[in-house]
Amino acid sequence: MRRVLTYGTYDLLHYGHIRLLKRAKALGDYLIVAISTDEFNAGKGKKAYHNYETRKEMLEAIRYVDLVIPEETWEQKIDDVKNYHVDVVVMGSDWEGSERFEILRDYCEVVYLDRTEGVSTTKIKEELGLQEPENGVSQIPTPELKDR
């Protein structure tokens, strides 16, 4: 069995995500998706609209995804490849050349796939006026505040 692993936040799920997951699954038999936990995102200065559990549940409902695991640190990638017997790590082409993924070539194949043109979570947030400002204070409303 050929195992494929990819990483991401997968917030505001869109057709670009689905297309990436479909192409990643086509590279093997079993697709593992590691999604950033809320704590890991906070450490990167990011805030997802949906919490980790909701994002995990959405990904588990996608037919291309076989397993969803938490991404808690940048450093866990080698352990993930070893522990899940991964043959291929797939990332978007914007990560190409990054040492965070190039280091994995000693353990498995690394493939970069082109992003789907015209769509991204950042673009969606910008168009909805939900983009996080430079000062790091999120403008993304929390569900409990939206209902008031």
Side-chain angles (χ1 to χ4, degrees):
M1 177 182 300
R2 189 165 158 90
R3 293 173 174 255
V4 179
L5 171 63
T6 191
Y7 291 86
T9 301
Y10 294 95
D11 192 26
L12 301 183
L13 200 60
H14 54 71
Y15 72 90
H17 290 133
I18 302 301
R19 187 168 177 256
L20 178 74
L21 295 170
K22 181 179 181 179
R23 292 183 296 155
K25 177 66 177 249
L27 296 173
D29 306 299
Y30 192 85
L31 178 60
I32 304 162
V33 180
I35 59 170
S36 302
T37 62
D38 298 329
E39 296 78 15
F40 184 44
N41 277 337
K44 296 186 287 184
K46 291 176 67 175
K47 173 147 176 57
Y49 180 81
H50 295 290
N51 67 29
Y52 171 82
E53 287 302 324
T54 300
R55 291 180 286 123
K56 182 177 187 281
E57 187 176 334
M58 288 190 297
L59 282 168
E60 288 173 337
I62 297 170
R63 68 179 173 172
Y64 309 114
V65 176
D66 295 295
L67 178 66
V68 178
I69 63 172
E71 180 186 21
E72 299 171 307
T73 69
W74 289 114
E75 296 77 24
Q76 77 183 62
K77 290 170 181 48
I78 292 172
D79 287 339
D80 289 345
V81 168
K82 290 178 178 179
N83 292 338
Y84 293 97
H85 310 286
V86 170
D87 300 292
V88 184
V89 170
V90 174
M91 290 302 295
S93 58
D94 53 329
W95 286 100
E96 193 162 1
S98 167
E99 192 57 33
R100 294 190 195 281
F101 295 99
E102 289 300 311
I103 195 169
L104 298 176
R105 290 192 187 278
D106 291 339
Y107 304 91
C108 66
E109 182 180 353
V110 178
V111 174
Y112 299 101
L113 299 176
D114 289 336
R115 298 279 183 167
T116 301
E117 227 175 286
V119 66
S120 72
T121 300
T122 300
K123 182 178 179 185
I124 291 169
K125 286 180 177 180
E126 286 172 353
E127 290 176 359
L128 293 175
L130 301 176
Q131 188 57 36
E132 294 182 25
E134 294 292 321
N135 65 8
V137 178
S138 177
Q139 295 175 0
I140 300 173
T142 57
E144 58 274 5
L145 294 178
K146 289 191 310 183
D147 295 335
R148 291 183 184 172

